[in-house]
Amino acid sequence: MSIEFIGFSATQEVTETILASGPVVDKAYLGAVARAHEYAGFDRVLVAHSSGSVDGFQVASYIAHETEKLGILLAHRPGFVAPTLAARQLATLDHFSDGRVAVHIISGGDDTEQQRDGDFLTHDERYARSDEFLDVVRKTWTSDGAWTHEGKHYRHVGQNAGVRPVRGQHLPIYFGGSSDAAIEVAAKHADVYALWGESLAQVAETIGKVRAAAARHGRADKIRFSLSLRPVLAGTEEAAWARADAIVARASEQIQHNKFYNSRPKQPANAGSQRLLETAAQGKVVDERLWTGIAALTNAAGNSTGLVGTPEQVRDALLKYWELGVTTFLIRGFDPIQDALQYGRELIPLVREAVAAREAEQGRLAA
């Protein structure tokens, strides 16, 4: 797959500009979000995770039931479920979805967030645990016969799982985290390393760093890269920036009533948010159209930088990241269903067509 698009799913309509209302688990809404992304041509949707979120495995199962082809990227935080059990849960879900599951490992960069679920390891200890967790998950998926594991965080004796992933005894592993400890674990295990939407220079630096670390494991050519962004599209550049300004204005009104944003520490502990704030400090706009307005407003709470412009302008901006080595784009808007459908009409086909043309040209030159 030369280019991949991932969207965002949720059981309740809520964004920086929309206050949550109604039931926390709205099956009709979740089904509508999933089907909208499938219709729009997304490859997968992310099922996110936090200490206050609904259970992702059940959400992913419902999405699989409501769709036919849409892939699922299930976020999973090591430390709360034994890796042997997690491996079997993921493999089982993969069977029920006919091989549509990938897992996004998030080790946790915020002590306060981790401690809400009873995890008191330090930042680097959490990544060391994730390393061992993934070692055990792979053993569970691939071992022929009973096996034993003796490690610092996990001990298993006589495990011999009866369920394996549908394809090749492996699920695609996405991995998040911008610290040096995170990069070392990603270099060893990740099929896809995930970044938030940073400047071209920052992304190039990180890709080089991850590839160098992966080379120490003989994996420099095996790891791919994902970038998360919030595109804001309109028919003209002026209209797109006006829409972005309106989003900030709406978000400013809503965030003061949002418990999640009000409970966040003023100085984020995780390296990804710190890097986004470094980007935001460069100004409202970086690299021509990388928009930092929401990142600055929310103190870089997750995926919060965007690309603003016409579909053609945003396509060109995405292609610059593609040229650096990014082959997956996680894109989501501020009006989830409407924006997903707009991306499917106006942006995703443009990017796929441009990438296909460039790859064909590269093939001709190579021949």
Side-chain angles (χ1 to χ4, degrees):
M1 183 184 297
S2 58
I3 191 76
E4 178 184 48
F5 284 95
I6 300 176
F8 188 82
S9 67
T11 61
Q12 187 180 43
E13 186 175 28
V14 56
T15 69
E16 294 89 341
T17 61
I18 301 172
L19 280 178
S21 62
V24 173
V25 178
D26 185 336
K27 292 186 293 183
Y29 177 74
L30 175 60
V33 167
R35 290 189 296 272
H37 280 83
E38 182 166 67
Y39 176 78
F42 282 80
D43 297 286
R44 300 185 183 276
V45 287
L46 173 66
V47 178
H49 176 90
S50 75
S51 62
S53 62
V54 299
D55 180 63
F57 278 92
Q58 295 182 64
V59 173
S61 180
Y62 191 78
I63 290 171
H65 177 267
E66 291 290 302
T67 57
E68 296 179 359
K69 299 182 295 183
L70 185 68
I72 299 161
L73 179 58
L74 175 60
H76 184 80
R77 186 173 286 174
F80 305 101
V81 175
T84 50
L85 174 56
R88 301 196 311 275
Q89 289 176 316
L90 288 164
T92 303
L93 179 61
D94 197 43
H95 280 270
F96 276 110
S97 68
D98 298 320
R100 290 188 273 155
V101 173
V103 61
H104 182 37
I105 299 297
I106 49 171
S107 303
D110 185 323
D111 290 346
T112 302
E113 164 76 359
Q114 294 297 120
Q115 290 169 12
R116 289 171 182 152
D117 271 335
D119 181 17
F120 288 85
L121 294 186
T122 66
H123 174 278
D124 287 2
E125 287 172 337
R126 291 195 291 269
Y127 280 99
R129 178 178 60 193
S130 291
D131 182 16
E132 188 179 342
F133 176 92
L134 288 169
D135 282 338
V136 175
V137 165
R138 288 187 187 279
K139 282 183 182 179
T140 309
W141 285 341
T142 62
S143 293
D144 185 13
W147 52 270
T148 295
H149 174 85
E150 295 279 351
K152 180 177 180 180
H153 298 282
Y154 301 106
R155 182 185 181 193
H156 303 279
V157 178
Q159 174 59 244
N160 185 15
V163 58
R164 312 293 170 89
V166 172
R167 298 183 181 90
Q169 296 186 322
H170 177 71
L171 295 182
I173 294 173
Y174 294 63
F175 197 94
S178 298
S179 65
D180 290 341
I183 288 173
E184 286 303 314
V185 182
K188 178 180 174 183
H189 293 284
D191 297 297
V192 181
Y193 176 81
L195 305 89
W196 282 334
E198 301 177 347
S199 69
L200 290 165
Q202 287 173 307
V203 169
E205 176 191 19
T206 299
I207 287 176
K209 203 177 202 181
V210 173
R211 281 185 171 148
R216 295 194 286 273
H217 298 277
R219 305 185 67 247
D221 61 343
K222 292 182 172 60
I223 192 164
R224 297 182 289 118
F225 297 90
S226 171
L227 192 70
S228 298
L229 291 159
R230 312 288 291 275
V232 178
L233 308 178
T236 67
E237 183 172 13
E238 181 180 18
W241 283 111
R243 186 180 173 197
D245 290 340
I247 288 169
V248 170
R250 284 167 57 197
S252 297
E253 295 176 3
Q254 301 296 345
I255 284 173
Q256 60 183 317
H257 304 294
N258 191 304
K259 292 180 181 179
F260 170 78
Y261 295 108
N262 292 330
S263 65
R264 279 177 55 77
K266 292 185 178 180
Q267 296 299 324
N270 64 305
S273 290
Q274 292 168 6
R275 288 176 63 91
L276 283 192
L277 289 177
E278 290 175 11
T279 304
Q282 298 175 45
K284 173 185 172 182
V285 186
V286 179
D287 291 340
E288 188 177 6
R289 64 188 66 262
L290 179 65
W291 172 55
T292 66
I294 293 295
L297 182 66
T298 63
N299 209 24
N303 175 15
S304 52
T305 51
L307 293 172
V308 179
T310 66
E312 292 78 12
Q313 289 172 327
V314 172
R315 171 203 60 194
D316 292 344
L318 291 174
L319 288 174
K320 290 178 181 178
Y321 288 111
W322 180 80
E323 290 169 352
L324 295 177
V326 175
T327 57
T328 294
F329 293 102
L330 194 161
I331 55 174
R332 66 185 182 103
F334 297 91
D335 292 299
I337 293 178
Q338 295 91 330
D339 286 344
L341 292 172
Q342 183 187 32
Y343 298 154
R345 288 192 310 268
E346 300 177 11
L347 181 62
I348 291 174
L350 286 180
V351 179
R352 291 197 194 279
E353 181 181 1
V355 168
R358 294 193 181 198
E359 288 182 332
E361 180 62 21
Q362 290 172 355
R364 284 193 292 269
L365 292 175

